[in-house]
Amino acid sequence: ILNVEQSPQSLHVQEGDSTNFTCSFPSSNFYALHWYRWETAKSPEALFVMTLNGDEKKKGRISATLNTKEGYSYLYIKGSQPEDSATYLCAFTGNQFYFGTGTSLTVIP
Amino acid sequence: DAGVIQSPRHEVTEMGQEVTLRCKPISGHDYLFWYRQTMMRGLELLIYFNNNVPIDDSGMPEDRFSAKMPNASFSNLKIQPSEPRDSAVYFCASSFRAQGRREQFFGPGTRLTVL
């Protein structure tokens, strides 16, 4: 089983703050890195899929970067809003699919 | 499209009973995945199919678990006999082509409780 690690495990920020979290994954046999947003009592929804080293993706206030050589990806949220509260999961795909355990974000109004 | 459909949404059963979870992927998607979510282990991939063929079932916990995909629009996951430690939320997801390089679309999940 490969290690896909996310940090921090949980995060509380004030509304309006910007924040970021990390996904670390094996740098060998890399195929793609996914980010998902998972709200409580719902199912995960895809945010980004990145495949190339140096990829940067953006959707509204959320953006992500990818470094396949050193095995990490960052997810950034600019100007956090209460509706951003969710668990953010990354998933590494190589020969298999491995999800990290997620970063739980709570945005305090 | 209605998205990935899973049934039932909730299942409560007694230890030793057979449980069948069902999934209808998004039409046209050629990959189907079964996941299990637990507090201890997070989201785990159990098995995935490509064009109805099981590709990797190494995540299936033991012989009590089996999954089939008889056609492109249906898959089931069976647990026989069920045990209390099987209690979890089971998600089905599907994606289109380019294994691993396209996002997965998740169903609403089935919450299984084994008493």
Side-chain angles (χ1 to χ4, degrees):
Chain A
I1 296 178
L2 299 177
N3 280 329
V4 179
E5 296 181 355
Q6 291 190 246
S7 62
Q9 197 170 27
S10 66
L11 195 55
H12 289 72
V13 301
Q14 292 289 331
E15 181 176 353
D17 286 351
S18 294
T19 187
N20 65 85
F21 9 101
T22 306
C23 173
S24 301
F25 52 87
S27 53
S28 59
N29 297 319
F30 177 85
Y31 207 70
L33 192 284
H34 298 221
W35 280 102
Y36 290 84
R37 181 171 179 274
W38 195 358
E39 290 182 70
T40 303
K42 293 187 178 180
S43 46
E45 290 184 352
L47 288 171
F48 308 114
V49 179
M50 294 183 288
T51 57
L52 298 175
N53 183 45
D55 258 356
E56 292 188 23
K57 299 264 184 169
K58 186 174 180 181
K59 185 182 290 188
R61 294 179 291 99
I62 305 177
S63 59
T65 60
L66 178 67
N67 183 323
T68 60
K69 294 186 178 180
E70 295 182 39
Y72 65 84
S73 175
Y74 294 137
L75 188 79
Y76 301 91
I77 302 179
K78 184 178 178 182
S80 304
Q81 299 297 307
E83 58 265 30
D84 296 330
S85 298
T87 295
Y88 292 83
L89 288 174
C90 70
F92 164 83
T93 63
N95 297 327
Q96 244 253 32
F97 296 86
Y98 297 97
F99 275 87
T101 51
T103 292
S104 174
L105 173 68
T106 302
V107 181
I108 303 163
Chain B
D1 200 311
V4 176
I5 299 171
Q6 289 187 249
S7 64
R9 293 293 304 276
H10 302 272
E11 176 82 25
V12 180
T13 191
E14 292 189 346
M15 183 173 66
Q17 296 298 306
E18 177 179 292
V19 174
T20 300
L21 311 181
R22 297 174 180 82
C23 175
K24 177 177 167 53
I26 291 173
S27 177
H29 281 191
D30 55 348
Y31 282 87
L32 184 139
F33 308 84
W34 280 102
Y35 292 93
R36 177 172 68 174
Q37 181 211 1
T38 61
M39 290 292 292
M40 293 294 293
R41 299 170 69 92
L43 198 61
E44 299 174 276
L45 177 66
L46 300 177
I47 184 172
Y48 77 92
F49 297 82
N50 176 219
N51 291 323
N52 315 336
V53 176
I55 302 300
D56 189 340
D57 65 355
S58 58
M60 296 285 261
E62 47 196 276
D63 292 346
R64 298 184 297 106
F65 285 69
S66 64
K68 292 185 179 177
M69 191 166 185
N71 58 62
S73 57
F74 176 73
S75 176
N76 63 38
L77 177 69
K78 286 190 179 181
I79 309 173
Q80 167 63 12
S82 57
E83 296 182 3
R85 61 193 168 119
D86 301 331
S87 298
V89 181
Y90 291 81
F91 287 98
C92 174
S94 69
S95 71
F96 175 61
R97 289 191 183 172
Q99 175 250 3
R101 289 183 173 164
R102 293 290 185 95
E103 65 268 43
Q104 297 180 24
F105 294 83
F106 283 77
T110 294
R111 181 174 294 278
L112 173 65
T113 303
V114 183
L115 303 173

